[in-house]
Amino acid sequence: SLFALDYPSDRLELILADNASTDGSREFMQEHFPQVRVLAMPHNYGFSKGNNLGAEQARGQFVAFLNNDMRVDRQWLIELVQPLLRTPDVICAGSKILSWNGEYIDFAGSAANMLGYGLQEGWGEPPEAFGEEKLILAPCGGAMLIDRQVFLDCGGFDEDYFSFYEDLDLGWRLWLWGYKVIFV
């Protein structure tokens, strides 16, 4: 779905940060999608470190993170970029995420309770719900866009989180740094 994006192809750099997979997916990518740069890790570093290493290798102003089990709408990237270009203090955009069959929402924003536990807004709601942009605490790391330099300057995803809650931690830090995170 990334090759069908309505986005200038000369401004798109695709990197697969592969955490030492052993299922042949790295070889599959190299054979079928040679235009994707495969960053092969020697170990499974987990979501945080693997994506941090990928972001360090990227060259663009923005870096989008997308889990390998996602498919995107043609407008996905352009919709994520627009609020970052429009509003200087909005530095990160989180994407609406639907279930694979598109029947319900998986992510439509985030919050945290008084104990710091993350909450996924919109889970289980119909796909047409949550159609407006809004400020949120944190993006979902599985489908987001962020200013690359700010991401690197603030330390990226905290590598103490192997997987889960690294995105909540990132969003919290961005707000503390004076930036805003938006749901698109």
Side-chain angles (χ1 to χ4, degrees), residues 2-3 5-14 59-61 77:
L2 293 174
F3 291 112
L5 283 172
D6 185 12
Y7 196 83
S9 60
D10 63 327
R11 300 189 56 116
L12 189 63
E13 174 188 26
L14 298 175
R59 294 183 293 264
Q61 177 183 356
L77 191 53

Side-chain angles (χ1 to χ4, degrees), residues 33 66 75 98 160 165 182:
F33 300 100
L66 187 68
Q75 296 294 310
L98 301 179
D160 285 343
Y165 290 102
I182 195 167

